[in-house]
Amino acid sequence: NFMLTQPHSVSESPGKRVTISCTRSSGSIASNFVQWYQQRPGRYPTTVIYEDTQRPSGVPDRFSGSIDTSSNSASLTISGLKTEDEADYFCQSYDTTKWVFGGGTKLTVL
Amino acid sequence: VQLVQSGAEVKKPGESLKISCKGSGYSFTKKWIGWVRQMPGKGLEWVGVIYPGDSDTRYSPSFQGHVTISADESITTAYLQWSSLKASDAAIYYCGRGGALDHFDSWGQGTLVTVSS
């Protein structure tokens, strides 16, 4: 069993770049794919990154995903921030027989 | 791809409930479909998934034995059901289509379940 830990909140200005981290507590971050889901206020989640780095069709290339085995973490980077990017972001991975979600990060664009 | 969920429900503790998620725009029997819970003001929790092609079903240990996931391929619909609701089951339940066994690539709009005496 492992946990995924995200910062509770991050904030940045429009036009800037922000990175949200997701640290795996045990086992290698590279062992299982990491996904990122965006949930705008009052809305259902949408998938912005799957399989560590892949962007679904329709997701702007301002969104990118990566993993770093040295810090055992995954990251979601959003460049050219827009006010519409303000949302909760959840990382998620797979642990043998079940999914594991991070606690979520609230992104404020101000 | 479209996933359309059934409407909000208000139930009493001990009652049974079955909510649905109708998939369209893809081959229903060839993709996993499943459920995620979001309690008020909280994060996402995986409930489980089913592969309609062979009814292979996987549950989170946290939900195993308390809910049942099923699917009817003739009407391309997945279900999440409870035989006896608890107040702690109150939440929004989202269905999703599996890009693979380990993630969703499309989501439904959510079903709000209220459980109150």
Side-chain angles (χ1 to χ4, degrees):
Chain A
N1 289 344
F2 64 87
M3 296 189 304
L4 296 174
T5 300
Q6 301 179 233
H8 182 69
S9 63
V10 296
S11 62
E12 191 48 272
S13 302
K16 299 292 189 179
R17 182 171 71 178
V18 69
T19 296
I20 299 171
S21 64
C22 171
T23 302
R24 177 166 167 159
S25 62
S26 62
S28 173
I29 191 70
S31 295
N32 306 92
F33 287 128
V34 175
Q35 282 66 233
W36 290 91
Y37 305 110
Q38 176 194 64
Q39 187 176 33
R40 293 186 172 116
R43 299 284 292 166
Y44 57 88
T46 62
T47 305
V48 292
I49 295 289
Y50 68 97
E51 294 179 356
D52 297 340
T53 61
Q54 302 303 303
R55 247 185 346 268
S57 60
V59 174
D61 61 6
R62 301 185 297 105
F63 290 80
S64 63
S66 64
I67 63 168
D68 179 358
T69 54
S70 65
S71 59
N72 213 34
S73 64
S75 293
L76 172 69
T77 298
I78 311 170
S79 58
L81 274 170
K82 301 184 177 184
T83 55
E84 68 201 47
D85 298 330
E86 188 161 290
D88 292 325
Y89 291 86
F90 297 91
C91 62
Q92 175 260 316
S93 190
Y94 186 71
D95 178 16
T96 309
T97 59
K98 66 182 188 295
W99 295 17
V100 178
F101 281 99
T105 298
K106 181 177 181 59
L107 170 61
T108 301
V109 181
L110 37 64
Chain B
V1 177
Q2 195 171 17
L3 299 171
V4 178
Q5 298 186 228
S6 50
E9 301 274 1
V10 180
K11 293 290 188 180
K12 292 180 167 55
E15 291 187 332
S16 62
L17 175 64
K18 192 173 189 177
I19 62 175
S20 66
C21 171
K22 180 171 176 60
S24 62
Y26 71 99
S27 181
F28 185 76
T29 57
K30 296 184 178 178
K31 292 285 190 179
W32 292 89
I33 188 166
W35 299 91
V36 164
R37 181 176 81 174
Q38 187 169 40
M39 300 179 78
K42 301 298 184 182
L44 304 176
E45 301 172 89
W46 183 64
V47 177
V49 291
I50 187 167
Y51 191 80
D54 61 7
S55 297
D56 184 3
T57 309
R58 314 289 177 91
Y59 291 97
S60 163
S62 300
F63 291 89
Q64 178 95 45
H66 184 55
V67 299
T68 301
I69 295 172
S70 59
D72 184 338
E73 63 179 273
S74 68
I75 52 172
T76 66
T77 299
Y79 301 96
L80 178 64
Q81 69 179 91
W82 296 258
S83 59
S84 180
L85 285 161
K86 303 176 182 178
S88 57
D89 293 318
I92 299 175
Y93 291 84
Y94 295 101
C95 70
R97 186 189 80 159
L101 170 59
D102 64 351
H103 71 274
F104 286 162
D105 61 5
S106 297
W107 295 73
Q109 85 276 18
T111 296
L112 174 64
V113 174
T114 302
V115 184
S116 175
S117 54

